Amino acid sequence: MTITQDPWETLRTSALLGTDRRPVPATALPLADAVDPSDPATALLELAALATVRRRAGALPVPAVEPPGPPAPEDTRPELPEAAARRLAVLLAGRTGGSGTLANLAELLPQWLATARAQGLRPPAPLIPGLLDTARARSELRSDAVALAGPPGRWLAEQNPDWRFVLRTAPPEPAGRPDDPTDHRLWHEGLFAERVTHLTLLRRSDPAAGLELLRSTWSTERAEDRLLFLDALQDGLSPADEPFLETALGDRSKNVRATAAELLSTLPGSALALRMAERARAAVRLADSGTHLLVTPPVECDERMQRDGIAPKSPTGRGERAWWFGEVVAAAPLATWSRSTGLTPEQLLALRVGDSVDETSSSWADDLREAWARAAVRQHDVDWARALLGPAPVPPARGAGRARAQRATGAPAKLLAVLPPEERAAWTAAFIEVHGLGEAFQLLGACAAPWTPPLSTAVVTALARAAASGAYPWSHSGVLGMTERALAPETAAAVEDLAAGAAPDSAWSETFARLAGTLRFRAAMLNELRPTDPAP
């Protein structure tokens, strides 16, 4: 019998409409006698399977296509060790080796890629397509993935439109000089995200060239684009950028003006910083007695203040004078206060704060402290950040009870990020020892990963306390997710002990077992990437 209709289309139509509405004309299909027609739904699936095999078996080879252009350039970097290559294949496939025994491997891939890139290794060629597919789906991986794929990855991207993002991702080498034609082509013809990335990388290698490139097209850019381009000047920001930023204070866009003002405020010697210092000294002064500070907030937001980035209306719902006051103090150089009072940050923070009209009022104390904290973060002032955080929390005296320990005030995570990494980790470990994990999520996020052994030990101890207290693991889900990526792998044995000591089949037992398995996996993963000593 001659088949006038494609069997596959016949089956697809029956599947879409349902076998009740469109029965499969089994007798009209090849191999129809191989299925049982008594169950139409099952017959449909069996016929589809047979049709699939039949179509594949009958496929004819297509003519060979010559590869376009020259072959891929040679990648001279050393290849991944065999064990590390197998590990990469597992991470790209997302296999865990057992249901529920490990964390989501997708969360560990960024750490693997960053480590392999730092070691200057190259993946085996068969793994590069899978690496590029993964990077296509996860933009946060692209920088490391493209660097790891190297010249072969860029060659492949020229052949496959799905991987064209590789060609738009800056190579790991430093960006070129401004007279490089490639720079001008990418800047003038690239997509917006590519232009931002290019400007950022150029600023890191040659700030003056980046500024000149931005200046060349500034007047033709859209306001929303000008905002992000201006933000890219944070890399390599110096007094040489001040004239351009001063000009940007007169931009049509208020967001551009505000960003220019914020950048200028991080340059202590800029004209804007000096103007803000003058306003700040008028708003806050040391009382004649030297025992307290007196606050006189601005009474208006004049045109000069608005040009310096202060909005006349508060976008936060705060009172206007409180808003103006906070913006002025946050933008003033922190060195202003020690120069005008002769006091250290710790001494200034210890003073009582009163109103210039009513010296007994302390209504401005929180506003002043919050503005100083913003200034410390913006200016990356370690001394002020340390003073605002205060000393690391100390456990209460034996028998005094945990409730008597003094809590840190405010939201210290941003201040914590200003401190050196080791000090940051030590402060957070002390905080967790006193206060547990309930308020530690943002603090832990500010600490460099992997966490130091003392911080990792503090987290494991706090998890043990949480399990013993009867809390449920999901009440600490955020911290637990972070531990899988950041906890020092050396703590695996301690976590395994917690798993063994938990009630069998309990939520904590499963949680600790999963965490221990992940730590063992990470330890092996990182060990495979460590350089080996050459044989004698």
Side-chain angles (χ1 to χ4, degrees), residues 106-196:
E107 297 297 322
L108 303 182
L109 184 57
Q111 189 173 141
W112 189 97
L113 291 174
T115 306
R117 178 181 181 180
Q119 296 291 351
L121 301 171
R122 63 179 172 88
L127 293 180
I128 294 179
L131 179 62
L132 297 183
D133 280 339
T134 300
R136 180 192 179 205
R138 298 177 60 183
S139 59
E140 78 277 11
L141 301 178
R142 289 181 182 177
S143 177
D144 285 333
V146 169
L148 196 66
R154 291 186 172 274
W155 184 87
L156 286 172
E158 293 172 354
Q159 324 304 322
N160 186 348
D162 289 344
W163 298 332
R164 288 298 170 89
F165 70 87
V166 174
L167 306 178
R168 299 192 298 265
T169 303
E173 294 78 18
R177 303 288 299 182
D179 56 350
D180 183 346
T182 302
D183 284 353
H184 293 297
R185 181 182 61 80
L186 184 60
W187 178 250
H188 292 295
E189 301 174 10
L191 300 176
F192 173 68
E194 299 166 359
R195 300 180 71 206
V196 172

Side-chain angles (χ1 to χ4, degrees), residues 182-525:
T182 302
D183 284 353
H184 293 297
R185 181 182 61 80
L186 184 60
W187 178 250
H188 292 295
E189 301 174 10
L191 300 176
F192 173 68
E194 299 166 359
R195 300 180 71 206
V196 172
T197 299
H198 177 71
L199 177 61
T200 301
L201 292 174
L202 186 55
R203 284 285 294 182
R204 290 174 185 173
S205 63
D206 191 339
L211 177 63
E212 191 58 35
L213 194 61
L214 177 59
R215 195 197 302 272
S216 68
T217 60
W218 180 256
S219 61
T220 63
E221 305 289 356
R222 300 180 304 168
E224 55 268 33
D225 294 350
R226 293 199 304 274
L227 177 63
L228 291 181
F229 290 147
L230 200 63
D231 197 53
L233 295 186
Q234 292 183 72
D235 285 290
L237 188 68
S238 72
D241 301 312
E242 182 180 357
F244 179 78
L245 293 173
E246 273 286 342
T247 302
L249 290 177
D251 195 89
R252 300 184 302 275
S253 166
K254 66 177 182 179
N255 291 329
V256 171
R257 295 196 300 270
T259 299
E262 184 171 341
L263 291 173
L264 284 167
S265 71
T266 65
L267 297 173
S270 68
L272 179 138
L274 297 179
R275 294 192 295 269
M276 289 297 190
E278 182 180 356
R279 295 175 183 129
R281 285 193 296 268
V284 183
R285 65 180 178 86
L286 184 65
D288 294 338
S289 63
T291 59
H292 58 284
L293 297 170
L294 295 176
V295 172
T296 306
V299 296
E300 64 173 340
C301 184
D302 57 31
E303 290 184 0
R304 292 182 302 169
M305 290 173 64
Q306 292 180 44
R307 184 180 183 277
D308 285 345
I310 300 178
K313 298 292 184 182
S314 169
T316 63
R318 299 169 63 187
E320 289 183 348
R321 296 188 71 190
W323 164 252
W324 301 332
F325 173 73
E327 291 296 286
V328 165
V329 173
L334 286 165
T336 300
W337 308 109
S338 292
R339 282 200 298 261
S340 62
T341 65
L343 301 176
T344 65
E346 289 82 3
Q347 291 170 328
L348 285 163
L349 289 166
L351 294 176
R352 181 173 60 83
V353 179
D355 191 289
S356 59
V357 177
D358 180 6
E359 296 190 14
T360 63
S361 171
S362 60
S363 59
W364 295 104
D366 290 342
D367 294 280
L368 180 58
R369 189 180 183 93
E370 187 268 342
W372 274 340
R374 288 166 54 201
V377 173
R378 185 182 296 178
Q379 298 171 34
H380 300 282
D381 193 302
V382 174
D383 291 335
W384 269 93
R386 188 178 289 128
L388 286 158
L389 279 169
V394 177
R398 186 180 299 276
R402 219 170 258 282
R404 291 183 56 187
Q406 182 178 357
R407 284 189 172 275
T409 57
K414 291 183 178 179
L415 290 170
L416 196 66
V418 178
L419 301 182
E422 289 289 335
E423 185 177 355
R424 206 183 308 164
W427 199 98
T428 304
F431 182 93
I432 291 173
E433 184 179 354
V434 174
H435 303 302
L437 297 171
E439 301 174 17
F441 179 74
Q442 290 185 331
L443 300 181
L444 288 168
C447 294
W451 296 331
T452 63
L455 176 55
S456 297
T457 299
V459 171
V460 172
T461 302
L463 286 172
R465 288 202 305 263
S469 71
Y472 292 104
W474 47 87
S475 62
H476 298 292
S477 58
V479 170
L480 284 167
M482 206 179 297
T483 61
E484 294 176 337
R485 303 185 300 271
L487 203 64
E490 295 80 4
T491 57
V495 177
E496 286 172 342
D497 290 342
L498 293 178
D505 299 325
S506 66
W508 278 109
S509 175
E510 295 177 4
T511 297
F512 287 139
R514 170 188 168 104
L515 178 56
T518 301
L519 293 173
R520 295 292 187 193
F521 185 95
R522 280 180 51 219
M525 175 183 87

